[in-house]
Amino acid sequence: MTDAAADATDAYSYLGPAGTFTEAALKQVPDAAGHPWNPVNNVGEALADVTSGRAVAAMIAIENSIEGGVSATQDALATVPGLRIVGEYLVPVNFVLVARPGTTLADVRTVNAHPVAYAQTHGWLERELPGHAHVPSSSNVQAAASLFENDVADAAVAPPGIDAHHPVDVLATGIGDNPNAVTRFVLVSRSRAIPPRTGADKTSLIVELPDDEPGSLLAMLEQFSTRGVNMSLLESRPIGDALGRYRFVVDLDGHIEDERVADALLGLRRFSPNVIFLGSYPRADKQPNEYHSKYDDAVYVEARDWLRGLLSGEPEA
Ligand SMILES: O=C(O)C(=O)Cc1ccccc1
């Protein structure tokens, strides 16, 4: 792995600089070893690297255990065409508060932090630094680096180990509001090849609903419930063109090659004006998908064979 090979087409892009949680997620990808790694400043840049061919894939944060979906990521995946999620990775996240040497907690009035990190440390910061102001940063590592670049703030929220990269004083450790916080990352590529089914898979979709049709949200949910497909994430995001128009971000247990998932997709496609298939990929936790046996592949295949028989005039068994 080498950093910053700007024009390489086999590069992996990630939110940098080195030392971010996003880089820790990328380190979990065996295929990324030996390729150049491009540190970028935001999700938009990471995805643009993929669509333009500057990178084969990008690692982006998509969900965390405190705030739920990362809206910038969800909105980018909904609007940038041609992208597929090919893997998911979990990183436990915890944070430290750091400052330029000599600063004490009592000196801190402004805190530089990535918005997602700020959300995850907000309780601690409110309690220990009441009245502080938040200065947003592009990443956890950049938050600490900026302390030396332009004095943007008195202190920064950063990943543990940051003092190995920057000459900071650590003012407090374990400042995350939830010690078990986990962030979910996804690897996004242009490849049309769907990762093979493992039996422990997830499928991610973005679904729009027909305008002004009462019950259409229920109709969407019924596509999953009537086929025994479990959802692990459901969020709405404004489409952005008018008040009251939303799209739904959905994660399902299962793979598009599972008959029950494929059948649910067909059901969605029949009534939704826009279904974006973001991908089917192995679950990071490797927990096998659970579903009732009446939704087994064999049951769908038998029913299809029966219908085919009827249509072709075969005598009924
Ligand atoms: O990857 C990082 O370190 C980031 O800055 C993004 C982020 C922020 C908070 C939790 C996980 C990832």
Side-chain angles (χ1 to χ4, degrees):
M1 130 199 33
T2 53
D3 258 359
D7 297 320
T9 53
D10 63 340
Y12 284 70
S13 288
Y14 73 100
L15 182 68
T20 59
F21 294 119
T22 312
E23 189 200 40
L26 191 51
K27 285 183 176 160
Q28 295 181 31
V29 180
D31 286 352
H35 288 253
W37 290 15
N38 288 337
V40 298
N41 292 315
N42 54 56
V43 171
E45 241 183 89
L47 296 181
D49 278 357
V50 177
T51 49
S52 69
R54 263 175 30 97
V56 272
M59 184 64 81
I60 55 178
I62 195 165
E63 183 183 354
N64 68 73
S65 52
I66 307 275
E67 281 227 300
V70 177
S71 37
T73 298
Q74 293 176 334
D75 293 348
L77 289 175
T79 49
V80 180
L83 295 173
R84 283 284 173 78
I85 298 174
V86 292
E88 73 165 354
Y89 305 88
L90 302 178
V91 178
V93 292
N94 208 328
F95 302 96
V96 297
L97 188 73
V98 297
R100 289 179 292 275
T103 309
T104 67
L105 209 50
D107 301 327
V108 177
R109 305 267 178 282
T110 49
V111 177
N112 198 19
H114 184 277
V116 173
Y118 187 72
Q120 301 198 45
T121 52
H122 189 243
W124 189 95
L125 292 169
E126 278 298 301
R127 214 171 40 248
E128 302 297 326
L129 299 170
H132 72 273
H134 170 214
V135 180
S137 175
S138 59
S139 85
N140 290 309
V141 171
Q142 191 54 46
S146 298
L147 293 175
F148 300 95
E149 284 162 12
N150 44 15
D151 273 14
V152 286
D154 304 321
V157 173
I162 189 74
D163 43 333
H165 293 93
H166 295 285
V168 286
D169 277 1
V170 178
L171 302 184
T173 59
I175 68 167
D177 294 332
N178 176 353
N180 302 319
V182 173
T183 298
R184 178 177 161 235
F185 294 83
V186 288
L187 188 67
V188 173
S189 92
R190 274 187 321 279
S191 166
R192 301 284 90 190
I194 298 170
R197 169 162 75 157
T198 66
D201 307 292
K202 248 185 208 179
T203 293
S204 296
L205 307 173
I206 292 175
V207 183
E208 289 177 23
L209 300 180
D211 275 337
D212 301 326
E213 227 176 78
S216 59
L217 176 59
L218 185 59
M220 176 183 91
L221 299 177
E222 275 171 350
Q223 305 308 317
F224 310 127
S225 68
T226 58
R227 292 157 177 108
V229 174
N230 187 51
M231 280 186 305
S232 56
L233 181 135
L234 172 63
E235 290 202 343
S236 60
R237 291 292 307 151
I239 291 176
D241 54 358
L243 207 56
R245 297 228 317 135
Y246 286 85
R247 58 170 73 98
F248 292 85
V249 183
V250 186
D251 283 349
L252 306 174
D253 287 356
H255 192 279
I256 191 172
E257 287 169 14
D258 291 325
E259 294 276 354
R260 65 190 188 288
V261 174
D263 205 50
L265 287 177
L266 291 179
L268 287 176
R269 172 79 187 183
R270 283 199 293 269
F271 83 96
S272 160
N274 191 15
V275 181
I276 301 173
F277 172 70
L278 288 177
S280 290
Y281 47 88
R283 292 168 66 119
D285 64 9
K286 299 191 166 59
Q287 289 299 310
N289 299 134
E290 283 180 18
Y291 56 93
H292 193 282
S293 58
K294 67 186 172 191
Y295 302 113
D296 210 61
D297 278 3
V299 180
Y300 286 86
V301 172
E302 193 280 334
R304 235 184 351 253
D305 287 349
W306 169 77
L307 183 68
R308 240 181 244 128
L310 294 180
L311 289 168
S312 64
E314 277 171 23
E316 274 185 80

